[in-house]
Structures are given as structure tokens and as C-alpha cells.
Amino acid sequence: RAGPARVPIRAVMPKAAKSKKAPPPTPYAEPKSKKPEPTGPVWEAKPKHFGIGQDILPKRNLTRYVRWPKYVRIQRQRKVLYQRLKVPPSINQFTNKLDKNVQTNLFKLLHKYRPESKAEKKERLQASAEKVEKGEADESKK
């Protein structure tokens, strides 16, 4: 099919004309005046000599050579070890602990499902034996 060619309609904004004027100088700026720099032996840079009785050495960063307290050394070594060791996930799960609220709820839940003690087992077997002796049907879960 031959039809009229579709021309996209686009709003074209005319560009603003650029002005070639330089902005006026600020009224508060001081006029630039070049003073000749003084020359001579007093102003020349001399190389420093750090020998005995000569110039003083610049301050250096000596933190690496400090004897740090034991707890600082231990925590830094621990950080490096944890970065270098690859801990299996089954062990790594113990690095994070639960908060107190979740912990109490978990222990309440686990308390319901903990295995019976010897005294409880003896009591349960005794009760089931008495039921069998009476002739009732024993419906134990175990």
C-alpha cells in the first residue's frame, strides 16, 4: 500500500542566540599587580642535609612499629584470620546469635519436642502395663 509518508511531529525549540559579551569586572576585585620576586642567596632553595649535626629529619609515621596492647593485636589478628579462612556454612551458622525474644520462643517450642527422660519413660510404660492388665485397649503413640 502506498500512502502518505509518516513524519514524526516533534516540538523543536529555537536555540537562544549566544552573546559574545564578556561579563563586567566585579567592583570588589582588587586590581592585579605583578610585583617582581626578590632574587639572591637569601631566597634560593637549598638542599637539606640530614647528616649528624645537620637538618632535622621530617616526622615519619611510626604506628607500624608501636607495641600495641594485647587486645588490639588479638582483634586485628582475628580479623585477618577470618578474612583468610574459608569457614564451612555448617560452622559459620554459629557466628550469629538470636536476640533474646526469639531465643525464648525457640526454647519454648523445643521444650515441647525434647526426648522423654528415664523417669517419664518408666511412668509411661507403667501406665500402659496397668491398662493391659485391666483389659483396656492400649493406644500408645510409641
Side-chain angles (χ1 to χ4, degrees):
R1 284 172 23 207
R6 290 187 183 173
V7 178
I9 300 171
R10 195 183 294 168
V12 179
M13 293 290 292
K15 294 195 176 184
K18 292 183 182 178
S19 64
K20 294 185 180 180
K21 277 187 184 176
T26 57
Y28 304 110
E30 293 181 23
K32 294 178 183 176
S33 62
K34 298 237 176 182
K35 294 180 181 175
E37 291 190 17
T39 57
V42 177
W43 290 279
E44 288 176 6
K46 293 182 223 163
K48 290 193 174 185
H49 302 288
F50 299 116
I52 296 170
Q54 303 295 319
D55 294 324
I56 297 169
L57 281 165
K59 295 265 183 175
R60 289 211 177 110
N61 185 5
L62 301 174
T63 52
R64 183 170 171 77
Y65 307 107
V66 172
R67 182 175 170 86
W68 291 97
K70 193 169 187 178
Y71 78 97
V72 174
R73 281 181 281 156
I74 287 173
Q75 67 192 14
R76 287 180 181 172
Q77 287 168 353
R78 186 190 316 122
K79 185 180 178 186
V80 170
L81 272 176
Y82 278 135
Q83 285 173 350
R84 291 182 185 172
L85 289 177
K86 290 190 175 179
V87 182
S90 57
I91 295 171
N92 192 47
Q93 66 184 342
F94 297 111
T95 55
N96 302 325
K97 66 175 192 174
L98 295 174
D99 59 326
K100 190 73 175 174
N101 192 18
V102 178
Q103 182 182 341
T104 52
N105 289 338
L106 176 69
F107 283 132
K108 282 179 187 175
L109 176 70
L110 294 176
H111 186 76
K112 294 177 187 174
Y113 296 102
R114 74 174 186 188
E116 61 184 352
S117 64
K118 288 188 178 182
E120 290 170 344
K121 183 179 179 181
K122 188 177 181 181
E123 192 177 305
R124 178 178 57 83
L125 291 174
Q126 189 76 33
S128 65
E130 287 173 5
K131 279 188 178 180
V132 170
E133 206 172 278
K134 290 179 184 175
E136 296 175 10
D138 185 29
E139 295 176 12
S140 67
K141 294 178 184 175
K142 293 194 177 187

